[in-house]
Amino acid sequence: MNGRQTLNYYSYVLGVTILLIIVALALGPLAPIDEPTQFPQYDLEVPVSLSFSGFILLMLFIISTVIFWGSKNLLLNTIIDSSALSFIIINYINFYVVYSIWKPTMYLLPFFIYIKYGNTPPELVFDFGQVALIIFFYRLYRKIRPTKNEQIK
């Protein structure tokens, strides 16, 4: 792909990413929650709906990556990249919302996030967002690097 084709492709990816985020956020309130009985002092609707939206986007990313990896079809590659980007955005917005509500100690580690809430034992949470980010940047690198024919010229 030359520079102009790559720019056009990633403009489509950004458009589909915005569309996927809107659709996933619209599906977020469908997450089952019984917050008044569990945590009456917090409104958990926002973090739970963001987690559910992120889960939907993660499943779309995993399924589209497994099924369509290596395809030469522009639409299928756009779905893979835009689902990765939309999941990354929703994933880190969700971590920010969790941080802003409960104020835990959070450290970003390779492939994990270390979270400690007050006096409770710490948690080491696997971060699928970093995996999706690595795959997204790998695919971006493959698209923008010059081919062997272009290097010879």
Side-chain angles (χ1 to χ4, degrees):
M1 265 189 174
N2 64 25
R4 186 145 181 88
Q5 289 174 331
T6 304
L7 183 64
N8 287 340
Y9 173 76
Y10 280 101
S11 64
Y12 287 127
V13 167
L14 285 177
V16 175
T17 297
I18 293 169
L19 181 67
L20 285 175
I21 288 173
I22 291 170
V23 168
L25 289 176
L27 294 174
L30 298 176
I33 183 171
D34 62 349
E35 67 185 45
T37 59
Q38 297 295 325
F39 301 99
Q41 67 271 24
Y42 297 112
D43 180 19
L44 295 180
E45 185 174 348
V46 173
V48 170
S49 65
L50 272 174
S51 294
F52 187 68
S53 298
F55 175 73
I56 292 170
L57 293 171
L58 177 64
M59 289 300 108
L60 177 65
F61 170 65
I62 290 172
I63 291 169
S64 64
T65 301
V66 168
I67 294 175
F68 303 130
W69 187 274
S71 172
K72 302 294 182 197
N73 190 328
L74 181 68
L75 178 64
L76 299 178
N77 284 313
T78 303
I79 290 172
I80 293 171
D81 289 338
S82 59
S83 64
L85 193 57
S86 60
F87 170 69
I88 292 164
I89 292 169
I90 292 294
N91 183 49
Y92 290 113
I93 288 174
N94 189 31
F95 278 121
Y96 175 75
V97 168
V98 166
Y99 177 78
S100 65
I101 291 175
W102 289 288
K103 304 284 191 235
T105 303
M106 297 176 82
Y107 297 111
L108 191 61
L109 304 171
F111 298 107
F112 293 96
I113 293 185
Y114 173 88
I115 304 174
K116 178 152 176 46
Y117 297 96
N119 296 328
T120 62
E123 300 176 15
L124 200 57
V125 179
F126 186 75
D127 186 12
F128 287 101
Q130 291 181 34
V131 175
L133 197 62
I134 290 169
I135 292 171
F136 178 78
F137 281 130
Y138 172 75
R139 291 175 58 84
L140 175 66
Y141 171 74
R142 295 276 316 260
K143 290 225 185 290
I144 64 174
R145 76 171 184 186
T147 61
K148 290 182 182 179
N149 292 336
E150 293 171 352
Q151 289 175 351
I152 293 173
K153 291 181 183 177

